[in-house]
Amino acid sequence: MMRKTITALALCLATIAGASAQSSANALAKAQQAVAEAKTATAADSRQCIFEIKAYNDTDGRLVVGGFTSDSTARNAAVRLLATTGVDYADSMKVLPYDQMALTTLSVASHRTAPKHSAEMATQSLMGTPLRILQKSKEWWRVATPDGYIAYVPASSVSEKTPEEMAAWRNGCRFIVNRPGETKAYRKADSTSPRETVTDLVGGCIVTAVGGAPNIKNGRLHIELPDGRTCYADASAFTPLEEWASQAFDAAKILDTAYGMEGLPYLWGGTSPKAIDCSGLSKTAYFANGLIIMRDASQQALTGERIDASKWRTCQAGDLLFFGNANTKKVTHVGIYDHGGMYVHSSGRVKRNSLDPDSSDYLPTPFLHAVRIQGSEETAGITRVRNHPWYF
């Protein structure tokens, strides 16, 4: 009788343990599904949002949802969806900081897909570009650019700023390089020797006037770089940042900037007047007109007012043209429309081609659609610099 009782008890305990294990597995599966749905809804594009949140059972069998994201919206979505599952879990989800900022200190800094120089270059930032610091290590910082693009930049290419320092920078007497080509900055106002060079500057670099007011000597403006170095550069190369940021939409300015880089070599990830890729060309040309657009062609293609490929003859100067796979409609290339079917783009080098099949400049790359930026300012993916809180 005793033996039967013990056997029955053992079977009962085994049944309870099995049910508990099954319940634990179900809870984990529900949590994992909720996290996956949150990622799909709010962080599908890893170029714009870090979402490294996972659901798992710890060594004590406790259900934990932990990790980090760069966007509080993504965390909130995860919390909301987890609540609908009814499962109990330990919350260790973190949002990366919003208030840690830096300024690019090189004329052109390269950002990479992984924290190593051998990694693919993802994008670039120009001197004076404000960056959100997401994660820091000794040699590499994970940052977001003003358009939200996330990648790794060498710590030596940027200068971290406190909130007070960023406020002072935003309220300071700032100038932007507003001419094509390279501008040299020297240690002294009358320096001409290459050995007196402090840095090069390219169009789009932002600096501050030493002393808080313009001081021009020998035709050169006395400037302070984001890392505190001071030097002199040709005053005619600069425009006050507020004046520049207040310009109206100007297709001619956009196209002049692009044509000014004609012959420049193609560089994957390049977004500067030194070497440039296709979407970098459109991004750089639009920035010259005071507009921040998305980084990659596939992102730019989803903004503005869409124009069907069959209606290319209705395109206007400054419209963006998108090319790619005719079957899947995947965008792989972008150019800037001029007139009469002609456009400028970076493919091998910055050059001109035509949408018109009857033109000798026609390229057979499938044309998918166009986008009109003009009239869509301050819609998703298109921001005027003067309205971006990191700048003003």
Side-chain angles (χ1 to χ4, degrees), residues 181-197:
E182 184 182 64
T183 297
K184 291 290 187 179
Y186 297 92
R187 287 180 173 82
K188 300 176 183 178
D190 58 355
S191 296
T192 57
S193 170
R195 300 189 182 193
E196 290 294 300
T197 302

Side-chain angles (χ1 to χ4, degrees), residues 206-219:
I206 299 171
V207 298
T208 304
V210 172
N215 178 13
I216 299 175
K217 185 178 180 181
N218 199 32

